[in-house]
């Protein structure tokens, strides 16, 4: 899970970062704090090229910068991300309704004597929500578990799966990396119509097929890889691709 912190007060920024980092190192080592920003512009720029799972935002970000407006822009781009407000304003809950940002939680800095506990509690809620999203089929997220790492990958980002040389493991290739985990291909091929078992050792995402070479019996994927295709699969893959286009 990837986290962004946006807080314009340097001291408060350090407190939030330190508490979350220290806690996650012990309890959730796969969590990454990928950006600590002082204004909305930094966050919006970072969002353009990165998928974020949870935001800790101050509501008052100084002159010309509003955490609620930032949250509204985040929500417009990503309906699934968790948004947690860390604020001086006790009326934050009412304001979040006004901006329709569906915040996961809000923590009042100066009023709340148990600030650290509230911060960690909200963090744990975001972890729980992240895990649940990956287990909900309607979200079109594929969840992988590798030791302490839990990662939700959108179906649309996945190129293909292949069996690993390591027994009982599968390798997943997606836009942001390659992951190997314990699973069987037969448990994957039925999760969504966009995934097609083109070979005994491969399942491809037909949305990322570039071309099919019938002579060499290979399928070129959008990441440049050529996946083998069986004779039987070759006969039906074009129909599969046509069916998928009709659904879009």
């Amino acid at each position: 899970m990837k986290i962004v912190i946006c807080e314009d007060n340097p001291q408060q920024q350090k407190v939030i970062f330190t508490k979350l980092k220290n806690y996650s190192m012990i309890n959730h080592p796969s969590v990454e704090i990928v950006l600590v920003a002082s204004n909305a512009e930094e966050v919006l720029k970072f969002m353009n090229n990165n998928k974020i799972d949870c935001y800790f935002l101050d509501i008052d970000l100084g002159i010309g910068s509003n955490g609620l407006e930032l949250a509204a822009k985040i929500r417009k781009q990503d309906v699934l991300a968790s948004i947690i407000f860390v604020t001086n304003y006790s009326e934050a809950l009412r304001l979040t309704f006004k901006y329709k940002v569906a915040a996961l939680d809000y923590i009042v800095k100066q009023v709340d004597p148990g600030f650290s506990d509230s911060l960690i509690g909200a963090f744990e809620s975001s972890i729980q929500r992240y895990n649940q999203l990956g287990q909900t089929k309607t979200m079109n997220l594929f969840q992988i578990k590798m030791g302490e790492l839990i990662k939700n990958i959108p179906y649309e980002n996945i190129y293909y799966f292949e069996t690993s040389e390591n027994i009982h493991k599968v390798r997943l290739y997606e836009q942001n990396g390659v992951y190997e985990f314990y699973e069987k291909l037969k448990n994957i091929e039925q999760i969504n119509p966009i995934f097609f078992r083109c070979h005994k050792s491969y399942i491809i995402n037909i949305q990322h097929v570039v071309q099919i070479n019938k002579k060499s019996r290979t399928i070129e994927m959008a990441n440049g890889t050529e996946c083998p295709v069986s004779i039987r699969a070759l006969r039906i893959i074009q129909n599969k691709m046509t069916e998928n286009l009709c659904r879009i």
Side-chain angles (χ1 to χ4, degrees):
M1 189 174 87
K2 295 184 178 181
I3 291 177
V4 161
I5 298 168
C6 189
E7 164 66 64
D8 68 328
N9 183 305
Q11 183 177 359
Q12 194 68 41
Q13 185 186 90
K14 183 178 180 180
V15 168
I16 296 169
F17 171 78
T18 302
K19 289 184 182 300
L20 291 178
K21 186 171 180 62
N22 290 346
Y23 182 81
S24 62
M25 283 177 63
I26 297 171
N27 299 280
H28 303 287
S30 65
V31 168
E32 296 178 77
I33 300 176
V34 294
L35 176 69
V36 179
S38 300
N39 57 69
E41 289 69 28
E42 289 181 71
V43 176
L44 293 171
K45 183 177 180 181
F46 190 80
M47 282 170 52
N48 289 333
N49 300 307
N50 298 275
K51 173 71 172 67
I52 313 303
D53 304 299
C54 180
Y55 296 82
F56 284 82
L57 307 178
D58 185 14
I59 286 182
D60 185 4
L61 292 172
I63 298 174
S65 197
N66 185 313
L68 286 163
E69 292 175 356
L70 170 60
K73 291 176 181 177
I74 290 170
R75 184 58 72 226
K76 186 176 181 180
Q77 182 172 318
D78 189 347
V79 297
L80 299 179
S82 292
I83 296 175
I84 298 165
F85 286 111
V86 184
T87 176
N88 286 321
Y89 299 102
S90 58
E91 293 187 359
L93 182 59
R94 180 180 62 80
L95 291 171
T96 58
F97 282 129
K98 177 184 176 182
Y99 279 79
K100 299 178 181 179
V101 295
L104 178 66
D105 206 345
Y106 76 100
I107 306 159
V108 181
K109 303 176 191 174
Q110 296 178 352
V111 177
D112 189 351
F115 175 76
S116 294
D117 291 341
S118 297
L119 186 70
I120 297 306
F123 175 56
E124 281 290 352
S125 294
S126 70
I127 292 284
Q128 183 178 3
R129 182 173 182 271
Y130 181 78
N131 293 345
Q132 290 173 343
L133 284 174
Q135 296 168 8
T136 305
K137 292 181 180 179
T138 55
M139 291 298 168
N140 289 337
L141 296 169
F142 188 84
Q143 186 174 94
I144 59 175
K145 297 181 180 179
M146 301 176 294
E148 295 294 330
L149 172 65
I150 297 177
K151 187 172 182 64
N152 295 331
I153 303 172
Y155 289 169
E156 62 190 32
N157 289 0
I158 298 172
Y159 294 119
Y160 64 95
F161 302 85
E162 69 173 354
T163 53
S164 168
E165 59 274 9
N166 297 313
I167 191 166
H168 302 312
K169 281 193 172 184
V170 167
R171 197 173 289 125
L172 181 157
Y173 293 79
E174 60 111 2
Q175 293 177 7
N176 299 304
V178 180
Y179 306 95
E180 188 171 285
F181 53 99
Y182 286 101
E183 188 54 277
K184 296 178 181 178
L185 286 185
K186 69 178 182 179
N187 295 333
I188 298 171
E189 60 183 313
Q190 302 297 328
I191 62 175
N192 193 281
I194 65 172
F195 296 120
F196 175 64
R197 186 93 175 245
C198 65
H199 184 274
K200 66 179 181 180
S201 300
Y202 287 82
I203 292 175
I204 60 170
N205 183 342
I206 58 179
Q207 293 180 327
H208 291 303
V209 171
V210 175
Q211 66 176 358
I212 302 169
N213 190 322
K214 294 182 179 180
K215 186 176 180 180
S216 64
R217 294 210 300 271
T218 56
I219 298 172
E220 182 182 344
M221 304 303 294
N223 66 341
T225 301
E226 289 188 347
C227 298
V229 56
S230 67
I231 295 175
R232 177 181 175 277
L234 196 58
R235 297 192 187 106
I236 60 176
I237 186 171
Q238 289 179 314
N239 290 334
K240 279 278 188 181
M241 293 176 65
T242 302
E243 289 172 8
N244 181 67
L245 286 172
C246 291
R247 293 189 184 97
I248 297 175

